[in-house]
Amino acid sequence: MKDIRALPDDDVIPVEQVDALIVGGGPAGLSAAATLKRAGVAKVVLVERQNETGGIPRHCGHSPFGMREFHRVLSGKRYAARLATEAISAGADIRLMHSVVGISEGPQALVATPEGLRRFEARKILIATGVRETTRAGRLASGSRPVGIFNTGALQDLVHLRGLRPFRRPVIIGTELVSMSAILTCLSAGARPAAIVEGGKRPVVRAPFNWLPALLQIPRHYEADILEILGRSAVEAIVLKNRRTGVITRIACDGVLFTGGFTPEASLARLSGVTIDGGSAGPEIDSFGRTSMAGVYAAGNVLRGVETAGRCWAEGRSVARVMADDWRNATISAKVAVETGGGVKLVVPQSVSIAPSPAFEYLQVRLDSWINGELVIEQGGYVIWKRRLSSGPERRILVPLKELEINDTGAPLRVTANKL
Ligand SMILES: Cc1cc2nc3c(=O)[nH]c(=O)nc-3n(C[C@H](O)[C@H](O)[C@H](O)COP(=O)(O)OP(=O)(O)OC[C@H]3O[C@@H](n4cnc5c(N)ncnc54)[C@H](O)[C@@H]3O)c2cc1C
């Protein structure tokens, strides 16, 4: 019997030649598509696996989006629609319900389309596949499996795209910026959070968590582990244990929202053989946005979890400019590797050029724990940059590349966060 999972022979898959193929129609992919077209690139195709472009913002009913791009505050939905309009009016060809299943040398991409498989032979490919939040399973939260347990993205989809109200008294797990979106989405759906729970000693982002929950009279539980989620068909309660005191608390609720804990949506890149960085869990790139596979670039949240839409949009635009420049044979100078030392979780990009970088003007650094001390960059045993710092995990730290006096010995840069 014929194995239906087997791929058809190469010669029966239709092939399409394009100049640039963009994978993912979120802010990074849409801004890259518009930029490439405006730079005069002839055939720019953007493929998106959903039936609509816009990425995450398309199901964010709340603001603020668009300040950097359009100098006004827009809701996520309006922002997503505006980005799509810009890309289409610039002349980009957008294909919906197209899911890229593999990228290989060439570069080329195998794409599952509503009409079947199609192979795209491209001069350049941009991976802009975004991030995903860690689910309950990923957080190993035990207990029963009632309905009413979501991530923020799924909740926003239910509330803003389907008009549903899945609960009235949920418990929110996490205090990242996206947890603020979770609170706003709950309020807009007529739900009032029963509590906010954080494993750390303090909120991951200072504002608004230092004032908003208090204003809304939402109890906060820090240093709390989830012991169990209770409920038969629907969620009835969550049980917490304080790490320091051992005190056990039961909170009655009808839903649990797991927020944040972002990881890059990098399985396409990984399975395609693109080198993945151990710290960021996204594709390793240089300061031009180039991955380890010739002709394949990456931008946006796939590089690290998680940045604002405006920053991802700007990254898509900058990397697209480099892609367009490459056609004009711009010379690309030597690369210096960037390594993470103690206290540092990730650095993006993972290698930099000695000449000014056209795509990434900053090293983006994230810490792996709270540090009150200094951030130090060394090359060949010499300190080439340092700055005082008081910061924690998931907070954005930017080091301007133009402030680094990088030498061309080939020695890597080492970024370390030291407690003082
Ligand atoms: C709940 C929530 C609320 C947020 N609120 C704000 C806010 O208020 N303001 C703000 O500035 N930022 C906010 N953000 C962050 C912002 O949404 C992201 O930074 C931004 O969407 C990242 O853009 P991106 O293009 O990198 O990725 P995404 O927006 O994630 O887009 C990636 C796209 O790639 C597609 N894709 C993935 N794999 C494939 C494949 N194999 N083939 C084809 N297509 C594929 C996906 O379907 C998706 O459409 C929020 C994020 C979340 C999760």
Side-chain angles (χ1 to χ4, degrees):
M1 201 205 281
K2 194 167 184 279
D3 182 355
I4 54 163
R5 291 167 306 174
L7 288 180
D9 293 340
D10 262 13
D11 54 5
V12 299
I13 300 176
V15 177
E16 189 170 341
Q17 318 268 345
V18 300
D19 290 312
L21 181 74
I22 296 167
V23 188
L30 287 168
S31 80
T35 305
L36 285 164
K37 280 308 298 178
R38 288 184 194 129
V41 177
K43 189 160 183 190
V44 177
V45 173
L46 181 151
V47 284
E48 166 56 53
R49 66 183 172 190
Q50 303 289 346
N51 59 3
E52 210 185 339
T53 52
I56 287 174
R58 79 186 203 291
H59 50 63
C60 292
H62 60 78
S63 50
F65 289 89
M67 273 100 74
R68 179 190 292 257
E69 308 83 321
F70 305 118
H71 311 293
R72 59 182 56 196
V73 179
L74 299 172
S75 72
K77 271 179 167 183
R78 292 192 55 205
Y79 169 74
R82 193 149 167 191
L83 290 180
T85 306
E86 293 232 321
I88 292 164
S89 44
D93 178 352
I94 294 185
R95 315 266 179 98
L96 301 174
M97 314 280 283
H98 278 51
S99 187
V100 178
V101 292
I103 296 175
S104 49
E105 302 288 345
Q108 49 180 303
L110 192 60
V111 184
T113 80
E115 292 78 41
L117 283 175
R118 176 171 285 259
R119 188 178 298 282
F120 284 83
E121 290 177 354
R123 292 170 70 193
K124 311 269 181 222
I125 293 180
L126 176 71
I127 301 175
T129 47
V131 278
R132 58 180 128 89
E133 285 170 284
T134 304
T135 58
R136 173 191 180 170
R139 295 180 194 240
L140 306 175
S142 56
S144 50
R145 313 247 145 223
V147 289
I149 302 173
F150 306 102
N151 284 115
T152 323
L155 174 72
Q156 294 191 326
D157 186 88
L158 292 175
V159 171
H160 296 304
L161 299 185
R162 294 164 215 266
L164 299 173
R165 292 174 179 215
F167 40 52
R168 305 198 74 78
R169 292 283 287 159
V171 167
I172 296 180
I173 315 293
T175 55
E176 293 180 39
L177 209 46
V178 67
S179 319
M180 161 79 185
S181 294
I183 298 177
L184 295 178
T185 309
C186 287
L187 296 180
S188 73
R192 182 158 279 271
I196 294 175
V197 176
E198 165 62 45
K201 283 186 184 161
R202 57 197 123 186
V204 174
V205 288
R206 260 185 280 252
F209 285 94
N210 47 4
W211 58 268
L212 185 73
L215 191 74
L216 296 171
Q217 299 181 329
I218 307 172
R220 283 84 70 205
H221 297 263
Y222 292 105
E223 296 185 80
D225 286 327
I226 303 166
L227 278 190
E228 230 181 337
I229 297 172
L230 305 174
R232 283 182 166 214
S233 54
V235 175
E236 289 166 17
I238 183 167
V239 183
L240 307 176
K241 181 177 180 184
N242 186 286
R243 284 183 194 166
R244 199 167 34 83
T245 61
V247 170
I248 293 182
T249 311
R250 183 184 195 276
I251 304 168
C253 58
D254 61 357
V256 181
L257 255 184
F258 286 97
T259 67
F262 288 98
T263 18
E265 186 71 83
S267 41
L268 169 67
R270 178 180 287 109
L271 294 172
S272 302
V274 170
T275 305
I276 301 295
D277 177 55
S280 68
E284 216 175 86
I285 52 153
D286 65 13
S287 47
F288 297 85
R290 296 177 300 183
T291 70
S292 62
M293 192 180 280
V296 179
Y297 295 69
N301 270 342
V302 70
L303 297 178
R304 98 265 80 191
V306 56
E307 263 301 345
T308 61
R311 283 190 178 267
C312 293
W313 171 88
E315 262 174 22
R317 183 181 60 170
S318 309
V319 173
R321 284 179 180 155
V322 172
M323 290 166 75
D325 264 357
D326 249 10
W327 270 289
R328 296 183 208 114
N329 294 321
T331 46
I332 292 195
S333 64
K335 287 201 258 175
V336 175
V338 188
E339 295 173 352
T340 54
V344 174
K345 178 184 169 198
L346 67 91
V347 177
V348 174
Q350 291 82 6
S351 65
V352 295
S353 63
I354 293 164
S357 287
F360 289 81
E361 293 171 3
Y362 299 91
L363 277 184
Q364 305 172 12
V365 181
R366 299 275 170 88
L367 304 182
D368 57 19
S369 60
W370 282 87
I371 285 181
N372 204 344
E374 59 183 13
L375 188 67
V376 179
I377 304 183
E378 291 169 283
Q379 189 183 24
Y382 294 97
V383 173
I384 62 165
W385 187 91
K386 74 175 167 181
R387 189 177 85 190
R388 284 218 45 125
L389 148 117
S390 173
S391 195
E394 303 312 326
R395 293 206 175 159
R396 176 193 305 130
I397 302 168
L398 297 176
V399 178
L401 280 168
K402 64 176 184 216
E403 289 182 11
L404 307 185
E405 286 187 20
I406 303 170
N407 66 49
D408 59 3
T409 55
L413 303 185
R414 190 165 182 77
V415 187
T416 319
N418 303 322
K419 286 187 180 151
L420 287 180

